[in-house]
Amino acid sequence: QVQLVESGGGLVQAGGSLRLSCAASGRTFSTYAMGWFRQAPGKEREFVARIRWSSGSTYYADSVKGRFTISRDNAKNTVYLQMNSLKPEDTAVYYCAAGGVTSVFRRDYDYWGQGTQVTVSS
C-alpha cells in the first residue's frame, strides 16, 4: 500500500501562485509515476501533470502548460505542483496519485490522496 497526503491548497487571487505538496509513504518503491489531477464542481476529474520518479520526466495538460510545474524530491518521497498565474478556471479539488505506469488516465493510477481545495478568485 501507498499512502498519499496532499497539502498547500487555499484561496488565492487570480494571477497569484500556490504550491501543492504530496507526501508518499508505504511501499513507494512500487510506484513508477506520480500525477496530479483536479476536479471542479460538476465536472469530471481531469489530468493536470505527471512525473516519473526515476528520470524526473514530466508531462502537462495543455491547459496548465507554461504555468504549472511538477517536481519531485526523491529523498523526501514528495511531489510538488507549483502553480503560477492562476486563473478562476483552475478552481478545483486537486488530487495526487501514484501508479505503476506514466499515464494521463485516472484508471492507470492505483493510489490517491484525499485532495486539497484550490480556489482562485477573480
Side-chain angles (χ1 to χ4, degrees):
Q1 289 290 329
V2 176
Q3 294 78 43
L4 304 173
V5 179
E6 302 103 333
S7 61
L11 173 64
V12 64
Q13 288 188 334
S17 299
L18 283 174
R19 189 178 81 155
L20 306 183
S21 300
C22 174
S25 60
R27 297 172 61 88
T28 55
F29 59 83
S30 67
T31 64
Y32 183 70
M34 299 290 292
W36 284 99
F37 289 75
R38 66 187 182 185
Q39 187 167 17
K43 294 189 176 181
E44 294 287 321
R45 193 172 299 186
E46 64 176 5
F47 169 79
V48 175
R50 64 96 175 131
I51 188 168
R52 290 185 182 180
W53 271 121
S54 57
S55 67
S57 69
T58 59
Y59 185 79
Y60 298 91
D62 287 343
S63 59
V64 306
K65 200 172 296 182
R67 301 188 297 122
F68 290 11
T69 302
I70 188 172
S71 61
R72 91 279 193 230
D73 184 331
N74 289 31
K76 295 182 179 180
N77 283 338
T78 299
V79 173
Y80 305 97
L81 186 68
Q82 178 66 44
M83 305 185 295
N84 299 328
S85 302
L86 283 161
K87 305 174 181 179
E89 52 263 44
D90 294 317
T91 295
V93 177
Y94 283 70
Y95 296 91
C96 173
V101 295
T102 53
S103 173
V104 302
F105 299 110
R106 291 173 52 186
R107 62 175 180 263
D108 293 323
Y109 289 84
D110 303 307
Y111 304 99
W112 293 82
Q114 81 287 354
T116 185
Q117 177 70 46
V118 171
T119 302
V120 184
S121 63
S122 57

